[in-house]
Amino acid sequence: MASTTICRGLSHVGRRAASRSSLMYPRMGPSIARSWFSSYPPHELVGLPSLSPTMEAGTIASWTRDEGDSFGPGDVLCSIETDKATVDFEAQDDGFVAKILRQAGSDEIPCGQPILITVEDEGDIAAFKDYVLEETAAPTPAGAAPAAPTPAAPAAPTPAPAVPSGGRVVASPLAHMLAKDMGYDISTIPATGPGGRIIADDVREFVPSAAADAVSTSAAPAQAAMASPAAAPIPGAGYTDYPISESAKEVASRLSQSKRNVPHYYLTVDICVDELLELRSTLSAAVGEDKDLGTYELMIKAAAKSMKAVPSANASWMDSVVRVYDSVDINVVVGTGDNLYTPVIRDCAGKGIAGISDELNSAVSAVESGDLTSEFATMGTVTIMNLGMYGIKSCAPIIREPQAVALALGTLENRIVPNDDPDSDEIYKQSVMMTATLSCDHRVVDGAVGAQWLSAFKSHLENPSTLLL
């Protein structure tokens, strides 16, 4: 968790600082430096918050407040893009935005680096109009003469690709994702981040031909000796080692962290899908062969409707609060192995079945073609995994933080079940059944709420006409 630094200029001001509450809280507290200088009114330097235990840096996607705007508790100041999701940064107290230090879409920002200045009094805003952030994060007094311009530094040599002696590339998660999306070998990308770390901007500005020239004029032989066998299987005495890609390592790290942090429990229900298959056939005939609807789209819609029926499941654990979301944004698991992605379908409750089908088909096509977008790295409010195509009857999925639930769907299979038709002479009948398993975070969704959600999901699938309402 980012630390909070308090800078006191005078003893009586120091006492005032100690009595004031912190300005904001996301999931993990931001770094805030409170400063009082002779030429500046009381203000706060707010650093980029660490939004997860593994977050090291982020990018400001957009500002929702401009300089001079006021804010109150719960107001969103900006959206921060991390390697996992785009998260809103909310205010906890009242105040005014005096100065925005980092613009939206700028370079990747290390956690704790100042991004804005806030003040309590509107009349203090003007004092920060010409504020310039020093490397020490201390303001320059308004009356001081501007520093003499620093002579231009000599051009730095082209940085060499960041491949340490151990062969492991040091790069941010976002940089790894961008490199994979753009088809670059991240080990050939020059690093400009702290400690020889590859950051997202290094990937965005990477020119493959220039990198090749840099390698040829530096440690090319050593690089070549290292790069060739890196992806190849390594045979041993009675075994073979297969190198793991950086993306696979990142997925493994996140899932391990979620499994450790989230108190999982699981609920399972069997669902009759006879009427769902009939509705699917009717809708497919109506839209034509060119736009064939599958049962998966109907199940995604049923999950969205269930979230609206039991909104407390559409939530996240935020340490000090439980955040309940208005929109149902569903991540669907697409692909296999190193090509496993979880693109998000936004506002599924407000979309029709045809709209969900279009987005799902687009996601599958994007994975097959490698044409991936930022939506493939965006975190929704629930994840759905469909293992029916592999003949799996049930699965207990791992919840992806900060989501509170995850749903796994099993295969559709014919089963002999009790006949509930009072007019039939048969005791049993054959029906198409499916097993659904809901993994729940017990901090957010207790057993009763989880049962209500699965009951709503079952009801929508067994009475699928409700999906059209």
Side-chain angles (χ1 to χ4, degrees):
M1 182 176 293
S3 62
T4 300
T5 305
I6 299 178
C7 304
R8 299 181 174 90
L10 299 173
S11 60
H12 70 280
V13 176
R15 290 192 295 271
R16 178 185 175 189
S19 65
R20 295 176 59 194
S21 60
S22 62
L23 171 69
M24 308 173 184
Y25 71 99
R27 188 173 174 199
M28 311 219 26
S31 176
I32 300 175
R34 298 190 179 106
S35 304
W36 287 263
F37 293 87
S38 58
S39 299
Y40 278 96
H43 63 280
E44 291 180 349
L45 280 173
V46 182
L48 185 79
S50 176
L51 302 173
S52 72
T54 60
M55 178 179 170
E56 299 176 358
T59 303
I60 297 175
S62 63
W63 285 99
T64 57
R65 289 290 189 277
D66 294 325
E67 292 179 1
D69 289 352
S70 64
F71 57 82
D75 288 344
V76 176
L77 297 179
C78 65
S79 295
I80 298 174
E81 180 183 334
T82 72
D83 58 310
K84 298 180 180 179
T86 300
V87 184
D88 290 337
F89 186 17
E90 297 181 354
Q92 185 178 359
D93 293 337
D94 296 321
F96 296 88
V97 177
K99 185 73 173 179
I100 292 177
L101 302 175
R102 299 300 295 263
Q103 298 301 318
S106 59
D107 298 345
E108 195 173 54
I109 306 168
C111 290
Q113 187 174 106
I115 58 174
L116 80 156
I117 298 174
T118 65
V119 294
E120 288 187 346
D121 299 325
E122 186 174 7
D124 295 337
I125 296 174
F128 298 90
K129 179 180 179 181
D130 299 322
Y131 180 93
V132 177
L133 182 66
E134 301 290 344
E135 290 186 0
T136 58
T140 303
T150 304
T158 303
V163 182
S165 59
R168 180 176 179 272
V169 178
V170 181
S172 71
L174 183 58
H176 279 298
M177 185 192 73
L178 290 174
K180 182 174 181 179
D181 291 351
M182 300 172 77
Y184 296 155
D185 180 358
I186 198 168
S187 64
T188 65
I189 298 177
T192 63
R197 185 169 178 263
I198 299 174
I199 59 178
D201 281 341
D202 295 334
V203 181
R204 295 188 184 103
E205 299 170 3
F206 175 59
V207 179
S209 59
D213 294 341
V215 171
S216 64
T217 57
S218 56
Q223 291 275 4
M226 231 180 212
S228 300
I234 305 171
Y239 63 86
T240 303
D241 290 336
Y242 293 86
I244 301 173
S245 67
E246 291 300 326
S247 60
K249 292 177 183 178
E250 181 66 22
V251 171
S253 175
R254 294 181 190 176
L255 292 178
S256 298
Q257 176 184 307
S258 292
K259 191 64 175 177
R260 286 192 301 266
N261 295 346
V262 177
H264 288 64
Y265 74 94
Y266 311 95
L267 300 173
T268 302
V269 67
D270 291 328
I271 302 171
C272 176
V273 294
D274 289 339
E275 293 189 24
L276 184 75
L277 294 176
E278 293 179 7
L279 177 63
R280 180 248 179 187
S281 299
T282 301
L283 294 177
S284 294
V287 299
E289 296 181 358
D290 295 338
K291 196 173 184 178
D292 187 27
L293 299 178
T295 55
Y296 194 19
E297 292 92 317
L298 297 171
M299 294 174 185
I300 292 173
K301 181 64 176 180
K305 299 276 282 186
S306 301
M307 281 297 186
K308 287 298 184 181
V310 188
S312 54
N314 194 46
S316 294
W317 176 260
M318 306 299 287
D319 291 333
S320 59
V321 297
V322 172
R323 178 173 298 170
V324 179
Y325 300 97
D326 298 328
S327 176
V328 181
D329 302 331
I330 297 181
N331 291 108
V332 290
V333 179
V334 178
T336 58
D338 283 350
N339 292 321
L340 188 67
Y341 298 94
T342 54
V344 64
I345 302 177
R346 297 190 179 279
D347 191 23
C348 288
K351 282 187 171 68
I353 296 170
I356 293 175
S357 179
D358 289 341
E359 292 201 31
L360 182 62
N361 291 333
S362 296
V364 174
S365 299
V367 170
E368 293 174 349
S369 64
D371 185 19
L372 307 179
T373 66
S374 60
E375 292 298 293
F376 283 75
T378 303
M379 183 70 70
T381 59
V382 60
T383 298
I384 298 180
M385 176 188 303
N386 182 11
L387 296 174
M389 66 186 76
Y390 303 107
I392 300 301
K393 181 177 180 179
S394 65
C395 168
I398 298 175
I399 298 170
R400 302 168 65 229
E401 287 187 295
Q403 296 176 357
V405 295
L407 178 66
L409 305 173
T411 188
L412 305 183
E413 59 182 3
N414 292 319
R415 301 183 198 172
I416 303 300
V417 297
N419 192 347
D420 54 1
D421 185 358
D423 298 327
S424 176
D425 294 333
E426 300 293 333
I427 300 176
Y428 299 101
K429 67 176 182 178
Q430 179 174 284
S431 290
V432 181
M433 303 291 292
M434 179 191 73
T435 299
T437 302
L438 185 70
S439 299
C440 303
D441 181 346
H442 209 297
R443 299 171 300 180
V444 181
V445 180
D446 60 25
V449 173
Q452 291 172 10
W453 194 96
L454 266 187
S455 177
F457 183 68
K458 176 183 173 76
S459 176
H460 283 305
L461 292 185
E462 294 186 344
N463 302 280
S465 58
T466 58
L467 301 178
L468 305 178
L469 299 177

